[in-house]
Amino acid sequence: MNFNRLGSSDLQVSDICLGTMTWGIQNTQQDADAQMAMALDAGVNFIDTAEMYPVPPNEQTYGDTERIIGNWIACNQDKRDDIVVMTKIAGAGLKYIREATPITGSAVTTALEDSLTRLHTDYIDVYQLHWPNRVTPHFGKHWPDGADPTRIDREKEIEGMRDILRGIKAAIDAGKIRYWGLSDDTPWGIHTFLRLCEQENVPLPVSIQNEFSLLHAKDWPYLIEMCECENIAYLPWSPLATGMLSGKYQNGARPEGSRWTLAQRMGLFRDQAPAQAATAQYMQVAEKAGITPSQLALAWCRQVPGVTSTIIGATTLDQLSENIAAFDLTLTEDTLSDIHGILKSYPLGF
């Protein structure tokens, strides 16, 4: 397992970050414990979660993923300092989470205390803002008919971000979080937080996690260049495009127990003809290379310049084993050439 420095922090994190958002609906405590054991045995020391998880989000299971991880931590206190735990505060939109209100400094304080309790830990290694208060070009809003930047109230957003930073600083000063990061944000969001951190004397964000895959490479090269130049770790989430790049959803297939069989919007805007066509071609490249389609997509993601650690998730141990093995692969120049030929034809599959 390779390790990389997480942005400007002093944390060394594995190439693989274990995602957990299936824990609590698709996976039980026993499943999660087995996944943790497999990941740790492979050298993974990095784990990502969120107060909102599991997905699809709903009031009945809200916080259960953190509780499952907390149960593991409670039984493995001797390993707590050996793992890097990231979690996230949810933004506006979910009525059962702080009445669907935006992230504020006081919300950071409240949400953090709840996460610490559920996780059975005294500190969070990296505390992240799950999504911005403003509408951004993420979650299917990246086309011109999606997010509208002309409707952003710039000064209101800046003051809101300044207030959030005061909550972050208070948590850092209290020793409840070590570092903080962003999620589902943009170059303007990163730039503004960097400037405000200097003004408010707040430590800089060390990471950002955004959706990034062979079917959704919109952050390359502009946002990733900014991260690299500003020493912010770039952490792709959904490198398999919610499982699409595994090939299991081709030709309308919906395997029993898979994410796209659940009542959620995650697969809806991704199930597009260009994405299906690109996936079919990537599957052929994987077969030619003698690896699985999932391994092709993950190995490519790891090799993208500027990627610090890739967030992977699985519902079965077989899937997790297959995915972990991808990070021991180095794709040949011929395979990369085949991949990039497809990527140029389908730069955004959905």
Side-chain angles (χ1 to χ4, degrees):
M1 182 65 61
N2 293 318
F3 292 83
N4 306 298
R5 186 176 178 182
L6 189 73
S8 58
S9 77
D10 63 356
L11 300 172
Q12 292 289 324
V13 298
S14 48
D15 269 348
I16 298 171
C17 178
L18 182 62
T20 63
M21 67 182 182
T22 62
W23 298 3
I25 292 181
Q26 291 173 270
N27 290 110
T28 64
Q29 180 75 56
Q30 184 177 7
D31 294 335
D33 291 346
Q35 286 195 27
M36 284 292 293
M38 176 177 284
L40 291 176
D41 187 59
V44 175
N45 75 334
F46 200 16
I47 183 168
D48 177 67
T49 190
E51 68 163 327
M52 184 188 79
Y53 293 167
V55 295
N58 63 84
E59 186 171 4
Q60 289 68 40
T61 61
Y62 163 57
D64 280 354
T65 303
E66 286 188 332
R67 291 186 186 95
I68 287 173
I69 296 169
N71 292 339
W72 183 90
I73 289 176
C75 295
N76 295 272
Q77 286 291 341
D78 59 319
K79 297 178 181 177
R80 172 62 187 96
D81 291 342
D82 297 330
I83 59 173
V84 175
V85 177
M86 300 195 298
T87 194
K88 314 178 199 72
I89 176 175
L94 298 170
K95 189 69 175 177
Y96 56 89
I97 303 180
R98 293 177 294 281
E99 295 295 314
T101 53
I103 301 175
T104 62
S106 61
V108 166
T109 301
T110 300
L112 175 59
E113 289 297 334
D114 290 343
S115 287
L116 289 169
T117 298
R118 288 189 290 262
L119 287 165
H120 288 289
T121 186
D122 296 327
Y123 66 96
I124 305 297
D125 294 286
V126 185
Y127 195 61
Q128 304 156 105
L129 312 180
H130 207 151
W131 59 86
N133 288 333
R134 69 191 189 283
V135 176
T136 59
H138 293 283
F139 305 111
K141 298 184 180 71
H142 51 283
W143 299 103
D145 59 352
D148 182 352
T150 67
R151 300 181 65 180
I152 294 174
D153 185 333
R154 180 179 181 275
E155 295 309 314
K156 178 182 177 182
E157 291 300 325
I158 289 175
E159 285 310 304
M161 295 159 90
R162 195 187 304 275
D163 182 55
I164 290 170
L165 287 178
R166 291 169 183 149
I168 292 290
K169 186 176 190 302
I172 292 174
D173 290 345
K176 295 181 179 180
I177 63 174
R178 299 177 66 187
Y179 303 100
W180 74 283
L182 301 168
S183 180
D184 303 309
D185 215 324
T186 66
W188 182 81
I190 297 172
H191 162 79
T192 304
F193 271 119
L194 292 176
R195 179 167 57 86
L196 292 174
C197 282
E198 292 182 354
Q199 294 177 6
E200 300 293 326
N201 193 29
V202 178
L204 301 178
V206 301
S207 63
I208 183 171
Q209 55 171 268
N210 279 1
E211 182 171 8
F212 186 71
S213 71
L214 284 170
L215 297 179
H216 196 74
K218 68 176 174 24
D219 280 351
W220 178 265
Y222 306 108
L223 189 141
I224 291 179
E225 179 198 53
M226 183 169 195
C227 289
E228 185 65 23
C229 291
E230 297 296 338
N231 202 13
I232 295 172
Y234 184 78
L235 312 172
W237 65 262
S238 202
L240 296 181
T242 66
M244 196 173 188
L245 283 165
S246 72
K248 65 184 178 183
Y249 297 128
Q250 288 297 97
N251 303 312
R254 296 293 184 269
E256 185 178 354
S258 63
R259 288 183 60 190
W260 283 18
T261 64
L262 302 176
Q264 61 169 318
R265 64 186 177 88
M266 293 299 283
L268 298 181
F269 67 81
R270 295 171 174 84
D271 190 14
Q272 304 293 330
Q276 296 285 6
T279 297
Q281 294 187 35
Y282 286 129
M283 291 171 70
Q284 293 176 357
V285 174
E287 183 177 12
K288 178 181 174 182
I291 57 180
T292 70
S294 293
Q295 289 174 333
L296 182 86
L298 294 173
W300 173 81
C301 199
R302 182 184 68 81
Q303 289 181 231
V304 170
V307 169
T308 299
S309 181
T310 302
I311 303 170
I312 67 170
T315 53
T316 70
L317 290 180
D318 285 344
Q319 289 174 341
L320 184 58
S321 177
E322 174 189 348
N323 292 349
I324 289 173
F327 291 82
D328 289 329
L329 301 173
T330 299
L331 300 179
T332 67
E333 289 300 320
D334 285 345
T335 298
L336 288 172
S337 178
D338 290 342
I339 288 172
H340 292 155
I342 301 168
L343 188 58
K344 289 174 183 177
S345 297
Y346 299 96
L348 281 175
F350 52 81

